[in-house]
Amino acid sequence: MKKIVLFGLLFSISWGIFAEEVFSPDINGLFEASIICTGSGILDAKTGKVRFTIQQVLKNTSDEVLYPDGEIVFYEPTSCGFGLGASTINNKNYIVYLRKHKEGFFVHGGTQHFRLLKNGKIPFELCRKTYYYSTEEFKRLSAHFFLTFEKTGDFAFASIMPKSEYVNSFSPFESILNFYDCLKNDFPWPHEEIGMPEPEIYLEDTTIYKFTEVEPEFPGGTVEMMTYISERIPDSISNVDGTIRGNVYIQFVVEKDGSLSELNVLRGVAPQFDTAAVEIIKSMPKWTPAKQRGKAVRCKFTIPVYFK
């Protein structure tokens, strides 16, 4: 009988890299994630799922019934091919932003939306600065953001309340005041077109990214990919005597059109296993490409495949 276990896509990321972004991932997760909660979890390496014990529910627009001390299960947070692993996840207190896709919940934006609490305070990174809030402060901050701004597109926001009105009507948060200025300083706002703009010289971005704002994805998501691979294991592989087993690490580039290129065995197990893994990935349909600032980009991806 054919057996293959594909461990969750792993992503090793330094959150600090996103500090250079104008907005940071947190503001997007606040508006887009259907569930935001704090708590601690245990990773099941066999299934790639985290059993998360909830401390506080900060946002829930899903159909799930959530409450303190309850549980929610979601897939290990991943981004661009690497995951956090049990040593990083288990029994630590986090804030997690979740979204639902078909069979279950996933961390919105991968590891960037799985943030470690600091002395019980919730981190919120915005406009190149990290703020720390209590649970009640975070809830009030969220309500203020939904009153003052609206999301108008991918990584695009617009004010629905003038800054002066916000200051006069509420006890304002520094992060929200800075967000008003962040929008104005980094993006002409409101936009005024003066004369005829100079023509721009467009240079195609051929960079191969390791970290992107929107990750590449197999059609249908991780579970569909696991099924696709398991159904294509050759009989010659499944009939081995069982003395050879382990991970075959395949790295490749997801191109702008979703095709896969530059396949490479980073670490193999045995020639027949390595060859089978490469051929299966070569046969994959086109992926949804990664995106950076709303544009499709090339992204390097790694899949560890466990044969037994």
Side-chain angles (χ1 to χ4, degrees):
M1 179 179 179
K2 303 176 184 179
K3 288 188 178 180
I4 179 173
V5 177
L6 176 64
F7 282 112
L9 305 177
L10 306 173
F11 178 48
S12 175
I13 182 173
S14 170
W15 286 323
I17 193 169
F18 288 100
E20 298 179 2
E21 297 294 333
V22 173
F23 296 157
S24 91
D26 291 347
I27 185 65
N28 293 285
L30 182 64
F31 276 79
E32 295 177 353
S34 58
I35 293 175
I36 304 176
C37 56
T38 59
S40 60
I42 298 293
L43 172 65
D44 185 335
K46 292 182 179 179
T47 63
K49 293 181 179 181
V50 176
R51 183 171 294 278
F52 196 74
T53 301
I54 298 170
Q55 292 176 347
Q56 292 290 333
V57 180
L58 305 174
K59 178 185 177 183
N60 184 13
T61 58
S62 73
D63 296 329
E64 298 292 310
V65 178
L66 304 176
Y67 49 88
D69 297 325
E71 288 188 344
I72 186 169
V73 176
F74 54 85
Y75 284 92
E76 177 188 5
T78 62
S79 188
C80 270
F82 297 93
L84 296 177
S87 61
T88 303
I89 293 175
N90 289 355
N91 300 314
K92 295 181 175 64
N93 293 323
Y94 283 87
I95 180 172
V96 59
Y97 299 69
L98 301 176
R99 60 184 176 87
K100 191 166 189 178
H101 180 72
K102 292 187 177 180
E103 302 84 0
F105 283 97
F106 294 79
V107 179
H108 178 78
T111 53
Q112 57 189 305
H113 283 139
F114 194 84
R115 308 286 300 280
L116 186 67
L117 302 189
K118 184 176 182 180
N119 298 323
K121 294 281 190 175
I122 299 170
F124 190 81
E125 186 181 309
L126 189 67
C127 298
R128 302 184 177 95
K129 184 174 181 179
T130 301
Y131 304 87
Y132 292 91
Y133 296 111
S134 67
T135 299
E136 293 306 314
E137 287 172 333
F138 188 90
K139 289 179 179 178
R140 189 161 60 89
L141 173 78
S142 303
H144 282 207
F145 263 115
F146 297 141
L147 287 172
T148 52
F149 294 94
E150 64 178 344
K151 199 167 189 304
T152 58
D154 289 340
F155 298 92
F157 295 84
S159 169
I160 54 177
M161 179 185 293
K163 182 178 180 181
S164 58
E165 182 179 342
Y166 172 63
V167 171
N168 294 330
S169 302
F170 300 91
S171 176
F173 283 92
E174 178 189 351
S175 56
I176 293 181
L177 296 179
N178 285 347
F179 194 53
Y180 276 101
D181 297 332
C182 181
L183 287 174
K184 290 181 181 179
N185 292 337
D186 289 283
F187 301 96
W189 183 58
H191 175 68
E192 294 183 7
E193 190 171 318
I194 303 175
M196 183 64 69
E198 292 292 328
E200 296 183 0
I201 299 175
Y202 175 73
L203 298 177
E204 184 180 2
D205 184 2
T206 58
T207 305
I208 298 177
Y209 289 81
K210 292 183 179 179
F211 317 121
T212 55
E213 294 163 347
V214 179
E215 304 168 30
E217 186 178 49
F218 182 87
T222 303
V223 175
E224 291 295 327
M225 181 175 66
M226 293 167 63
T227 302
Y228 181 94
I229 293 176
S230 64
E231 291 177 347
R232 286 163 176 78
I233 301 299
D235 291 336
S236 58
I237 294 296
S238 63
N239 291 332
V240 296
D241 61 9
T243 59
I244 301 175
R245 62 180 63 191
N247 289 309
V248 177
Y249 289 85
I250 306 294
Q251 187 177 78
F252 53 90
V253 173
V254 181
E255 297 289 347
K256 295 179 184 180
D257 64 355
S259 60
L260 308 184
S261 68
E262 302 186 24
L263 275 72
N264 179 38
V265 178
L266 289 184
R267 190 174 73 193
V269 175
Q272 66 268 34
F273 285 85
D274 303 348
T275 301
V278 170
E279 291 303 317
I280 291 170
I281 292 176
K282 278 184 179 180
S283 73
M284 284 182 172
K286 287 187 176 182
W287 289 40
T288 300
K291 285 189 176 181
Q292 190 76 1
R293 297 194 178 279
K295 294 183 178 180
V297 295
R298 306 172 75 201
C299 183
K300 186 168 290 186
F301 213 88
T302 302
I303 296 179
V305 182
Y306 180 65
F307 290 91
K308 76 172 183 179

